[in-house]
């Protein structure tokens, strides 16, 4: 571990082990990691018509998938949640993108005392209708369309905010089931603890910039949730869960940890970038993350050992993982979008550590 990562881990230990999480402490960690002295001063014009460039989106998704590979296994199939017929929303078409809104009824579908370890959105791509293809032109061949899945958060004022969940290239001339990892969207929905359904939005775009690639992408069609769509294969949401009675991590806190009565353990601690005034317009993705923190007490050494110089034992971070983000940066009069991976942002394990 280099000195920079060591400093980050030490700083995060201080931030996540204190009883009251401080916004300033977290902001300081983020700014130092980016090498900034203050949050970029953004104006309203900087936030209008923002489009995340493909190379930034690809970098971000690559970092996310690298983290997902580390996700613990042992999934058990909980069941298949199908979209509610007749509530698909309007399918929008434009010169650059195709969008389809999906709705899934989640109420009562996740078993009690279980953890969603993985969620897949399965979409059936219809066979290619060549009548939808644009006339052949002297362009570089286009074989794929980019399909991105967004979680849609419905705000109290009636507006929507979206968060990028997964993105991949789909062959235009192939048909059949295509799967997308939407675990993060389900975790967002669970975090909000709302009784309303979960909304997802599917965007179909050209694999590269240009009108020809965009026109080719419009030939991609997925079966919708509309009952009038008689094509095979309605959208499905497949959940994989762990029964915590059987597979619960011994290192995670139970309810008694909140009262300070447990031994050292990892306690859930969600950080919402949307609710942090200094971060809500600056950090574009993710909407928030489960950071966790260390909580609980540690067995103290005998008095004889303390006299020999052994200090108090306290609960502290023993292992951590990185958090990928997409954020805005000011360079002179220009506003640019970048992706970065912050090391040591998510507490993976806690342990009793002797002071000194």
């Amino acid at each position: 571990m280099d000195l920079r990562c060591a400093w980050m881990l030490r700083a995060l230990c201080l931030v996540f082990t204190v009883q009251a999480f401080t916004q300033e402490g977290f902001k300081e960690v983020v700014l130092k990691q980016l090498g900034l002295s203050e949050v970029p001063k953004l104006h309203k014009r900087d936030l209008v018509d923002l489009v995340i460039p493909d190379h930034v989106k690809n970098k971000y998704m690559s970092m996310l998938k690298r983290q997902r590979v580390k996700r613990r296994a042992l999934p058990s199939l909980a069941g298949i949640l199908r979209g509610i017929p007749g509530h698909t929303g309007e399918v929008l078409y434009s010169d650059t993108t195709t969008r389809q809104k999906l709705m899934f009824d989640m109420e009562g579908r996740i078993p009690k005392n279980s953890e969603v370890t993985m969620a897949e959105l399965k979409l059936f791509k219809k066979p290619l209708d060549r009548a939808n293809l644009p006339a052949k032109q002297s362009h570089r061949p286009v074989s794929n369309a980019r399909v991105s899945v967004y979680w849609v958060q419905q705000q109290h004022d009636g507006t929507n905010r979206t968060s990028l969940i997964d993105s991949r290239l789909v062959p235009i001339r192939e048909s059949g089931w295509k799967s997308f990892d939407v675990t993060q969207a389900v975790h967002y929905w669970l975090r909000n603890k709302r009784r309303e359904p979960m909304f997802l939005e599917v965007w179909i775009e050209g694999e590269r910039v240009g009108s020809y690639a965009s026109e080719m992408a419009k030939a991609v069609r997925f079966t919708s949730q509309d009952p009038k769509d008689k094509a095979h294969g309605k959208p499905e949401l497949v959940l994989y869960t762990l029964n915590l009675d059987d597979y619960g991590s011994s290192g995670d806190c139970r309810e008694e940890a909140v009262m300070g009565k447990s031994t050292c353990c990892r306690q859930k601690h969600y950080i919402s970038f949307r609710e942090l005034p200094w971060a809500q317009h600056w950090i574009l993705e993710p909407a928030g993350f489960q950071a966790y923190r260390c909580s609980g007490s540690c067995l103290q050494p005998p008095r004889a050992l303390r006299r020999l110089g052994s200090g108090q034992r306290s609960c502290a971070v023993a292992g951590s993982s990185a958090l990928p983000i997409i954020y805005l940066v000011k360079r002179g009069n220009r506003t640019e979008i970048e992706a970065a991976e912050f090391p040591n942002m998510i507490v993976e394990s806690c342990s009793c550590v002797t002071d000194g």
Side-chain angles (χ1 to χ4, degrees):
M1 182 184 294
D2 58 29
L3 290 177
R4 192 180 190 186
C5 287
W7 182 91
M8 281 288 293
L9 186 55
R10 178 180 176 84
L12 282 165
C13 286
L14 294 175
V15 172
F16 292 129
T17 55
V18 293
Q19 188 66 28
F21 165 70
T22 63
Q23 290 188 22
E24 285 302 314
F26 179 55
K27 181 169 72 172
E28 180 184 350
V29 170
V30 172
L31 289 175
K32 281 190 176 292
Q33 173 62 18
L34 290 175
L36 301 175
S37 58
E38 61 181 8
V39 174
K41 291 182 173 61
L42 299 170
H43 303 285
K44 190 174 182 179
R45 64 177 179 272
D46 298 320
L47 307 174
V48 176
D49 298 328
L50 276 177
V51 177
I52 299 175
D54 282 345
H55 72 277
V56 174
K57 186 185 294 185
N58 292 342
K59 182 179 178 182
Y60 176 71
M61 296 312 307
S62 176
M63 291 187 292
L64 268 185
K65 287 172 182 176
R66 190 159 60 244
Q67 293 301 319
R68 288 169 180 168
V69 168
K70 300 176 183 177
R71 187 181 299 136
R72 58 183 172 175
L74 294 173
S76 58
L77 183 61
I80 296 177
L81 311 187
R82 296 184 181 274
I84 303 173
H87 293 79
T88 60
E90 185 182 3
V91 180
L92 306 176
Y93 297 93
S94 70
D95 290 340
T96 58
T97 185
T98 301
R99 301 185 188 182
Q100 183 178 359
K101 191 172 184 180
L102 305 175
M103 182 171 111
F104 293 95
D105 182 10
M106 303 289 284
E107 184 66 21
R109 301 300 182 94
I110 300 175
K112 291 184 178 180
N113 200 30
S114 65
E115 176 184 339
V116 177
T117 59
M118 189 167 66
E120 282 185 309
L121 173 66
K122 297 180 66 177
L123 301 175
F124 187 82
K125 185 181 175 302
K126 300 179 183 180
L128 177 65
D129 183 353
R130 296 189 178 277
N132 293 328
L133 291 174
K136 288 186 178 180
Q137 302 178 30
S138 57
H139 287 282
R140 195 154 46 106
V142 173
S143 302
N144 304 296
R146 175 161 294 281
V147 180
S148 301
V149 180
Y150 291 81
W151 172 63
V152 181
Q153 181 183 17
Q154 297 188 323
Q155 312 264 63
H156 295 297
D157 62 2
T159 60
N160 290 336
R161 292 193 73 166
T162 60
S163 293
L164 177 63
I165 299 300
D166 200 1
S167 181
R168 54 171 291 198
L169 293 176
V170 171
I172 293 174
R173 289 174 170 79
E174 289 183 9
S175 63
W177 289 102
K178 308 297 177 185
S179 295
F180 300 84
D181 187 336
V182 294
T183 311
Q184 193 176 16
V186 176
H187 287 171
Y188 284 158
W189 181 87
L190 288 169
R191 168 64 188 171
N192 285 341
K193 296 179 179 177
R194 297 181 180 179
R195 295 184 178 275
E196 62 191 34
M198 184 177 75
F199 294 93
L200 299 175
E201 201 166 66
V202 179
W203 294 22
I204 306 172
E205 304 165 286
E207 67 173 325
R208 61 174 183 264
V209 177
S211 59
Y212 182 62
S214 297
E215 289 299 319
M216 286 290 291
K218 289 182 181 180
V220 173
R221 296 285 190 274
F222 292 110
T223 305
S224 72
Q225 293 174 310
D226 194 328
K228 297 176 184 177
D229 191 343
K230 302 299 183 182
H232 170 74
K234 300 295 182 182
E236 296 179 353
L237 181 66
V238 183
L239 299 181
Y240 297 87
T241 66
L242 286 178
N243 184 331
L244 295 181
D245 290 335
D246 298 329
Y247 296 108
S249 170
S250 59
D252 285 350
C253 300
R254 294 188 177 274
E255 291 183 6
E256 60 268 22
V258 179
M259 308 302 294
K261 297 179 181 178
S262 73
T263 55
C264 182
C265 58
R266 188 181 72 153
Q267 185 177 346
K268 286 185 176 180
H269 183 72
Y270 186 85
I271 296 175
S272 172
F273 288 128
R274 300 289 189 256
E275 295 173 6
L276 293 174
W278 59 269
Q280 58 184 344
H281 300 305
W282 173 44
I283 296 178
L284 304 180
E285 301 289 348
F289 69 105
Q290 189 64 257
Y292 297 99
R293 64 182 172 193
C294 296
S295 176
S297 59
C298 294
L299 187 64
Q300 299 303 320
R303 289 188 178 182
L305 288 178
R306 293 185 208 172
R307 285 196 295 269
L308 294 174
S310 178
Q312 292 279 325
R313 300 175 76 232
S314 57
C315 187
V317 178
S320 61
S321 60
L323 174 73
I325 71 165
I326 296 179
Y327 64 99
L328 294 174
V329 62
K330 290 283 286 186
R331 289 194 171 91
N333 294 325
R334 291 182 301 131
T335 303
E336 298 182 1
I337 302 176
E338 295 189 354
E341 192 172 51
F342 285 7
N344 307 311
M345 294 298 283
I346 301 171
V347 176
E348 294 292 348
S349 60
C350 302
S351 179
C352 289
V353 178
T354 301
D355 294 343

